[in-house]
Amino acid sequence: MLPHLTFVLGGASSGKSAFAEKLVFQSEADRVYIATSQVFDDEMRKKVDAHLTMRGDGWHTIECPLDAVTALHGIKSGEVVLFDCATMWLTNHMLADHNIDAQTDALLSALAACKGRVVMVSNEVGMGIVPDNKLARQFRDAQGKLNQRLAAASDLAVFVVAGLPMTLKGQLP
Amino acid sequence: MLPHLTFVLGGASSGKSAFAEKLVFQSEADRVYIATSQVFDDEMRKKVDAHLTMRGDGWHTIECPLDAVTALHGIKSGEVVLFDCATMWLTNHMLADHNIDAQTDALLSALAACKGRVVMVSNEVGMGIVPDNKLARQFRDAQGKLNQRLAAASDLAVFVVAGLPMTLKGQLP
Amino acid sequence: MLPHLTFVLGGASSGKSAFAEKLVFQSEADRVYIATSQVFDDEMRKKVDAHLTMRGDGWHTIECPLDAVTALHGIKSGEVVLFDCATMWLTNHMLADHNIDAQTDALLSALAACKGRVVMVSNEVGMGIVPDNKLARQFRDAQGKLNQRLAAASDLAVFVVAGLPMTLKGQLP
């Protein structure tokens, strides 16, 4: 059985979302999908559609680019949430020029108080060369700090590489 | 003894090729090197020469930028192949504007049917910041998906970090 | 108790420095901090100040952007050094147009001969897409090779992901 908070971290196209879905599917609980993407263009639309097809039926989907706190507040005991993903949530708040520390505090409180269990997906973005532009460097730092906080708050943390899990913390069910 | 398919993944200059060569050297089998590089400039020439020097004698080398299927088909039982690397193979097929899904299907069938054992080297490229240009994003996605498929098909999968192996799947000999 | 040389590798904002500091704090030894940063601008100043605040009191700090060999030579038995970080040290030597192989040989000799114990922090930078510009590619290769040599020389090597350690070699105290 999944613990209260599971953190699934991986690179781009690493299979992290598919792995997180598998974890949720193994659970008996009602499945809720918190979708954080904002679709601006065709490239994004294709990615979102591909994920939708991959997930299949049997999910209650909440579109939630910014206000994850309200969404998590509405989760019932016995539900299990796939939150995909922290990277998009962070991007949306940075684009909206919100205070990231305050938003992260609120997110972590909402995760701790959530009545259901949550599997949170996020991207590792800090293992390339230093980006040229300042915004990219700021995003990289913010994502790294967010990942550290989510990992620290989680009961189970998994690093997905080429579709295969390495356990950072806790134990896979 | 090495299993049928070993997958060695790592970042740039992570020591993944040297690690893969060490695995092949531990085996008693005849060594075949499938070389995927196309040499366009001096920078590439230097890299290829450095790898050649590192490998030393005792290898039968097949230059094979695109048609890995035919090369794998010709491998005999009792031979062990170092395929270096899936990233260059993918790059070459993308530059040639080939259908990557079809090429990957063919590659995986040829790996499964290969009479010898294979150690396949590949690059992790998805743990940096999102690249600015679309081609780089497409390559990153294609490489991530290819790595997932190779890892899934492998009996042993190793993630090399700073020259040191982390086992993702199976057991090191 | 910490061994002679501990290598702590991680991405940007991965929590690698905080993890390395925790390791040093667990030790009873006198703490020395070898600081490699050269402060060129406000962005850098903020990062350096944040690290300074995080470390707190009780450190003897040696500012040492280039000549780590002399600094390590001066370390006494019973001291434990936090060397933060190999990436900045490498950057400084590349900017000064020094011979990196020779500098690395000297650094590794000084680490081996050091009378105290050392915890060396470094960045993983090779898991993104190939950088556009040649200097970035050269830096990426040089950093990868340096990381391999430091990992090979270490008694304990740790890969920090989202603040959590994965042991590459040896055993955490």
Side-chain angles (χ1 to χ4, degrees):
Chain A
M1 185 167 150
L2 285 172
H4 186 69
L5 179 59
T6 301
F7 181 57
V8 177
L9 181 70
S13 298
S14 64
K16 60 191 181 306
S17 291
F19 182 81
E21 280 160 32
K22 244 188 327 190
L23 282 182
V24 172
F25 262 106
Q26 284 167 8
S27 158
E28 295 291 308
D30 291 327
R31 294 191 291 277
V32 178
Y33 183 78
I34 293 188
T36 52
S37 292
Q38 287 178 299
V39 175
F40 293 118
D41 57 20
D42 278 6
E43 196 180 339
M44 199 68 205
R45 170 53 53 205
K46 273 187 201 165
K47 286 192 83 156
V48 169
D49 288 349
H51 274 279
L52 196 69
T53 306
M54 185 168 71
R55 275 200 307 285
D57 294 335
W59 295 82
H60 170 55
T61 297
I62 306 175
E63 303 267 354
C64 181
L66 287 163
D67 188 10
V69 170
T70 302
L72 289 166
H73 194 75
I75 298 300
K76 298 183 201 81
S77 154
E79 288 180 331
V80 59
V81 176
L82 178 55
F83 192 120
D84 196 356
C85 63
T87 303
M88 205 44 78
W89 174 89
L90 177 64
T91 303
N92 295 337
H93 280 286
M94 285 186 80
L95 290 174
D97 212 18
H98 290 166
N99 181 315
I100 300 304
D101 286 339
Q103 292 293 336
T104 304
D105 290 346
L107 176 65
L108 283 160
S109 299
L111 287 168
C114 182
K115 293 203 185 81
R117 285 165 287 148
V118 181
V119 177
M120 170 71 77
V121 177
S122 191
N123 277 68
E124 174 57 53
V125 303
M127 297 189 187
I129 214 81
V130 183
D132 285 335
N133 80 78
K134 193 173 175 175
L135 192 67
R137 287 197 298 278
Q138 286 174 337
F139 179 77
R140 189 169 81 141
D141 282 347
Q143 177 71 80
K145 281 174 196 155
L146 178 58
N147 288 342
Q148 287 183 53
R149 291 191 65 182
L150 289 168
S154 71
D155 311 290
L156 168 63
V158 180
F159 184 40
V160 177
V161 176
L164 300 172
M166 289 197 283
T167 304
L168 294 166
K169 184 185 187 178
Q171 212 164 350
L172 281 169
Chain B
M1 183 167 151
L2 285 173
H4 187 68
L5 180 59
T6 301
F7 181 58
V8 177
L9 182 70
S13 298
S14 64
K16 59 191 181 306
S17 292
F19 182 81
E21 280 160 33
K22 243 189 327 192
L23 282 182
V24 172
F25 261 107
Q26 286 168 8
S27 157
E28 295 290 310
D30 291 326
R31 295 191 291 277
V32 178
Y33 183 77
I34 293 188
T36 52
S37 292
Q38 288 178 298
V39 175
F40 294 118
D41 58 19
D42 278 6
E43 195 180 341
M44 200 65 205
R45 168 56 51 204
K46 273 187 200 165
K47 286 193 83 157
V48 169
D49 288 349
H51 274 278
L52 196 70
T53 306
M54 185 169 72
R55 274 199 308 284
D57 295 334
W59 294 82
H60 170 55
T61 298
I62 305 175
E63 303 267 353
C64 181
L66 287 163
D67 188 11
V69 170
T70 301
L72 289 167
H73 194 74
I75 299 300
K76 299 184 200 80
S77 154
E79 289 181 330
V80 59
V81 177
L82 178 55
F83 192 120
D84 195 355
C85 64
T87 302
M88 205 43 79
W89 174 88
L90 176 64
T91 303
N92 295 337
H93 281 286
M94 286 186 81
L95 290 174
D97 212 18
H98 290 166
N99 181 316
I100 299 303
D101 286 339
Q103 292 294 336
T104 304
D105 290 345
L107 176 64
L108 283 160
S109 299
L111 286 168
C114 182
K115 293 205 183 80
R117 286 164 286 146
V118 181
V119 177
M120 170 71 77
V121 177
S122 190
N123 277 68
E124 174 56 53
V125 302
M127 297 189 187
I129 214 81
V130 183
D132 286 334
N133 79 78
K134 193 172 175 176
L135 192 68
R137 288 197 298 278
Q138 285 173 338
F139 179 77
R140 190 170 81 141
D141 282 347
Q143 178 70 80
K145 280 173 196 156
L146 177 58
N147 287 342
Q148 286 184 53
R149 291 191 64 182
L150 289 168
S154 71
D155 311 290
L156 167 64
V158 180
F159 185 40
V160 177
V161 175
L164 300 172
M166 289 197 283
T167 303
L168 294 166
K169 183 185 188 178
Q171 211 163 350
L172 280 169
Chain C
M1 183 170 152
L2 285 172
H4 186 69
L5 179 60
T6 301
F7 181 57
V8 177
L9 182 70
S13 298
S14 64
K16 60 191 180 305
S17 292
F19 182 81
E21 280 159 32
K22 243 188 327 189
L23 282 183
V24 172
F25 262 106
Q26 285 167 8
S27 158
E28 295 289 310
D30 291 327
R31 293 191 292 277
V32 178
Y33 184 77
I34 293 188
T36 52
S37 292
Q38 287 179 298
V39 175
F40 293 118
D41 58 20
D42 278 7
E43 195 180 340
M44 199 66 204
R45 168 56 51 205
K46 273 188 199 163
K47 286 193 82 156
V48 168
D49 288 350
H51 275 278
L52 196 70
T53 306
M54 185 169 72
R55 275 200 307 284
D57 294 334
W59 294 83
H60 170 56
T61 297
I62 306 175
E63 303 267 353
C64 181
L66 287 163
D67 187 12
V69 170
T70 301
L72 288 167
H73 194 74
I75 299 300
K76 299 185 200 80
S77 155
E79 289 180 332
V80 59
V81 176
L82 178 56
F83 192 121
D84 196 356
C85 63
T87 301
M88 205 44 78
W89 173 88
L90 176 64
T91 303
N92 295 338
H93 281 286
M94 285 186 81
L95 289 174
D97 212 18
H98 291 167
N99 180 315
I100 300 304
D101 286 339
Q103 292 293 335
T104 304
D105 290 345
L107 176 64
L108 283 161
S109 299
L111 286 168
C114 182
K115 293 204 183 80
R117 285 165 287 147
V118 181
V119 177
M120 169 71 77
V121 177
S122 190
N123 276 69
E124 174 56 54
V125 303
M127 297 188 187
I129 214 80
V130 183
D132 286 334
N133 80 77
K134 192 172 174 175
L135 191 68
R137 287 197 298 277
Q138 285 174 337
F139 180 76
R140 190 170 80 141
D141 283 347
Q143 177 70 81
K145 281 173 196 156
L146 178 58
N147 287 343
Q148 286 184 52
R149 291 191 65 181
L150 289 167
S154 71
D155 311 290
L156 168 64
V158 180
F159 184 40
V160 177
V161 176
L164 300 172
M166 289 198 284
T167 304
L168 293 166
K169 184 184 186 177
Q171 211 163 350
L172 281 169

